[in-house]
Amino acid sequence: MKDAYARTIDYLRISLTDRCNLRCVYCMPEEGVPPLCHEEILRMEEFAQIVGVAAKMGIKHVRLTGGEPLVRKGICNLVRSIKATPGIESVAITTNATLLACMAPDLKEAGVDRVNISLDTLDAEQFHAITRRGNLADALEGIEAAFEVGFDPIKINVVAVRRLNQDFASFARLTMERPLHIRFIEYMPVGHSVEEGGCGWGPEDVIPTKELIQTISAAAKEAGLGELLPAGADRPLGWGPANYYELEGAQGTIGFISSVSNHFCASCNRLRLTADGRIRPCLFGDEEFDIKTALRTEGPDAAQRVLEQALSHKPESHHHRVGTARMMSQVGG
Ligand code: SAM
Ligand code: SF4
């Protein structure tokens, strides 16, 4: 399907739940998100029904995110039904990986094609401080489990934040040791992070990609890891909006996603579905379309009309706006 600006939209990002077992300081309040009542959240069958409608319209790729998608019961059955939907070519998940060690075999068996893991530091203390409660060892075990069951490629998303002084060289080193694809993502001062009671990290904490490439390049050299070079054409780069590099002799790659400094709206291929059943045409726009009510009261044809309406409202760009009234955990990051 095409939107009003002739972009092909074939990717649906679904937030399965706005709950999470962690409380990353830039994403969620310490006490968690206010609980939504049972009726407000889409049931797993409803997610599958919406995917069915979306697939008929041309959605080919689905990503399950959240909140933490692995805390939502029934995820494997949902993956199975999405995979069995005619037209769907791939199902991916984005996870903090802390529950992946025990769930990776079932997710693989259910048909998950790829996993993206969010991990902002390789330092146990810093990990605990960022997530307010997580253990780095759990996330690392999750990554090992992802390797063991054969997910490929495995991408690690690192949100780069100036005041965290993350040890970027440790991630660069990891690409030498394992076939991991590390992607540095610009911190977005939106949602909970800039709300009252949030972490209060502002625009000054965004490290623009250009600067980040120089910093990581210098850190890699200093650590004796060699030059950061543009990645070879044989690398699994995916359709995401990242620029990829690699160190000579590395097993993995190092990518950069400039969500703040360089908008990639012109090549945007996605719609989002929130856990409470709203279609969101743009991460940064707060316009949403109520597909839950349409599906529940009138059925799949009405759901299709809501998708079409959302598609026709997909903005050309977010016009340098970096704001969202909802938390990242609610809109799926
Ligand atoms: N819980 C899962 C996870 O952490 O991978 C999936 C949901 S999480 C909201 C998705 C992604 O959004 C994570 O990679 C997280 O780091 C990112 N994210 C959340 N708040 C962000 C912010 N303010 N700026 C940049 N990325 C953010
Ligand atoms: Fe949870 Fe992911 Fe948000 Fe962290 S970024 S609190 S892991 S939803």
Side-chain angles (χ1 to χ4, degrees), residues 26-27 65-69 94-96 118 159 186-188 193 328-329 332-333:
Y26 53 72
C27 179
T65 169
E68 174 50 44
T94 297
T95 172
N96 62 40
S118 307
V159 177
E186 283 175 348
Y187 163 64
M188 294 178 256
S193 58
M328 281 300 205
S329 56

Side-chain angles (χ1 to χ4, degrees), residues 159-173:
V159 177
V161 183
R162 198 178 295 284
R163 74 175 69 189
L164 286 180
N165 285 319
Q166 289 139 296
D167 177 7
F168 296 128
S170 64
F171 283 106
R173 191 170 300 109

